[in-house]
Amino acid sequence: MPTLNKIRAALTKDMGRTPPADPHLTRLRIAVTAFFAMDGFLFAGWVVRIPAIKAQTGAGAGALGLALLGVSAGAVAFMMFTGRLCRRFGSHTVTTASAAALALSIVLPPLTHSATALGLVLLVFGAAYGSLNVAMNSAAVDLISALRRPVMPGFHAAFSLGGMLGAGLGGLIAGSLSPTVHLLLLAAIGLLVTAVAGNSLRAHPSSPAVPERLPAAQESRPRHGRAGHGRRLVLVFGLIALCTAYGEGAMADWGALHLSQDLGAGPGTAAAGYAVFALAMTVGRLSGTALVQRFGAARALIAGGTTATAGMLLGALAPSAVAACAGFAVAGLGLANIFPIAIARAGESGGPDGVAVASTVGYGGMLLGPPAIGFLAEAAGLPAALTTVALLAAVAAVIAYATRGAHRTGRA
């Protein structure tokens, strides 16, 4: 029977199909996907209200940049601590708790009336956001191992879809609801999703440790050379992820403001800028698995970085809001799969620890993005500051090209 199962699995793989999934794994996949979608939905709902909260606090570009630093600082600072919590309590438990904390903390920013207060509450919001990202990615990595299918882009597509829906909803109600009421509504939705999806996770609790993953990681190291090579690869993929996260963070924090402040767009159009960006990322990520399987990780990274460079140059320097939104869409397509591919490759090179390190380095891009864009905007204007997104996308493409052999052989 085991032999027949192996033959059937091989035949269905060759025919482009996969064996029927275990119902328990299917339910887990739906639950984890829901958390990714909720994360994107809540984050987008916050970012489309940044212009209104900026006006409420009276902050300038530089002060706002420092305040927005709170999101990334809180996220990055909490990531390693979340890793320890996952090892102790399991990724499912931490995912559910972090999602609830994110939903509750999103109501805090519209209650502030100064840049300092905004920065402090964004530390809390960022800690919950970073914790949820580490926990749900850990749950996704373990689930992918059980499914034996490279479906990580699909989870990140759910995040982008949630971002698109959150931005779209924000654009529709931005002119009729205050930021306080809007974000209270989002908090209620987030808590409802957390209760439903969290119940599925609790029905299939994860083990705090996943011993079955360790031998695979250990067996891969001799094939990939010395452990030092693996660590260098993890850092390389982490740097690629950083370049991508910088762009995503810049679009989230400054895209709507660029459209409204520099191009005279109304609240709805300004929100549409991030919506089209998120839509393009969703489309790109839905096809990400097939793209990597057909062309390979290296070519996908190089093409993505090059496309994002062209798109962000158009988005930052376009003379009209419509053209800028078109550029944002192209940039979204380019950036779509770079982060998921980089994290997956880091996991292949360094196992679970590789995923954790590359994720932390990658999310450091969000730490650098908000203040860098803010300070550059004060010195040279927001359009010029946004061209740094194109620059780092080009850097990601160059790194991917320079290390293209590592994508095939596992050596730096």
Side-chain angles (χ1 to χ4, degrees), residues 66-68 70-71 108 112 114-126:
L66 285 175
L68 293 175
V71 177
L108 298 176
T112 62
S114 70
T116 300
L118 178 62
L120 291 175
V121 301
L122 289 181
L123 281 171
V124 178
F125 178 75

Side-chain angles (χ1 to χ4, degrees), residues 332-363:
L333 284 174
L335 292 174
N337 292 303
I338 300 179
F339 193 95
I341 292 172
I343 297 303
R345 294 294 289 117
E348 292 177 18
S349 301
D353 288 339
V355 174
V357 171
S359 296
T360 303
V361 173
Y363 280 108

Side-chain angles (χ1 to χ4, degrees), residues 296-328:
R299 290 181 180 178
L301 289 174
I302 294 167
T306 303
T307 302
T309 299
M312 274 311 302
L313 286 176
L314 174 61
L317 303 178
S320 69
V322 173
C325 286
F328 291 164

Side-chain angles (χ1 to χ4, degrees), residues 80-91 94 207-209 353 356:
M80 297 307 295
F81 179 62
T82 303
R84 292 194 291 270
L85 290 178
C86 288
R87 288 193 295 273
R88 181 171 181 179
F89 300 106
S91 59
V94 180
S207 173
D353 288 339

Side-chain angles (χ1 to χ4, degrees), residues 178-192:
S178 69
T180 300
V181 175
H182 177 196
L183 297 184
L184 277 171
L185 174 63
L186 296 190
I189 294 173
L191 289 173
L192 177 61

